[in-house]
Amino acid sequence: VRYIREKYPSIPYTAAAQDLITLMYGIATHSVADQIWHDLGVVGHSHQGWIQSMADLEFFGVYGNAHTTSDVGGEFMLAHAYDLTFLDNIWYFPIFDILEIYYS
């Protein structure tokens, strides 16, 4: 956030700033979702994440087997339940901004 405020101080934001902000929101929301999906044990291993629960109930406790099935199944269900045509096949990654953040 500090980097964005220093490098892109004016609002409305430039296209480059918007791309970086979008990436940061994506990282943050994916991290939160993964805590629930994978039971990442942020506060300790709770055995309450989707994959861990699925492993315990359907895969004799084998997390890896449940992980493969749940990821593929999750993608299938999203594609079936929602119109995902808004997703772009070409990804943009603000590499120069990321490098500046990493080296600062």
Side-chain angles (χ1 to χ4, degrees), residues 64-101:
N65 292 348
H67 187 209
T68 300
T69 300
S70 64
D71 279 356
V72 172
E75 296 290 337
F76 174 81
M77 290 303 297
L78 280 173
H80 178 73
Y82 299 101
D83 177 13
L84 301 179
T85 57
F86 67 92
L87 294 174
D88 198 344
N89 289 331
I90 300 171
W91 291 16
Y92 172 77
F93 191 78
I95 189 69
F96 296 111
D97 284 316
I98 297 302
L99 287 171
E100 285 186 45
I101 292 168

Side-chain angles (χ1 to χ4, degrees), residues 17-77:
Q18 291 177 22
D19 289 341
L20 180 59
I21 291 167
T22 300
L23 176 69
M24 293 297 128
Y25 274 124
I27 290 169
T29 57
H30 191 102
S31 175
V32 170
D34 269 359
Q35 290 176 31
I36 298 165
W37 188 259
H38 293 277
D39 186 25
L40 294 179
V42 174
V43 182
H45 195 59
S46 66
H47 282 268
Q48 294 179 8
W50 169 256
I51 296 174
Q52 186 62 56
S53 296
M54 196 169 149
D56 292 343
L57 293 171
E58 303 292 336
F59 291 90
F60 305 102
V62 180
Y63 184 91
N65 292 348
H67 187 209
T68 300
T69 300
S70 64
D71 279 356
V72 172
E75 296 290 337
F76 174 81
M77 290 303 297

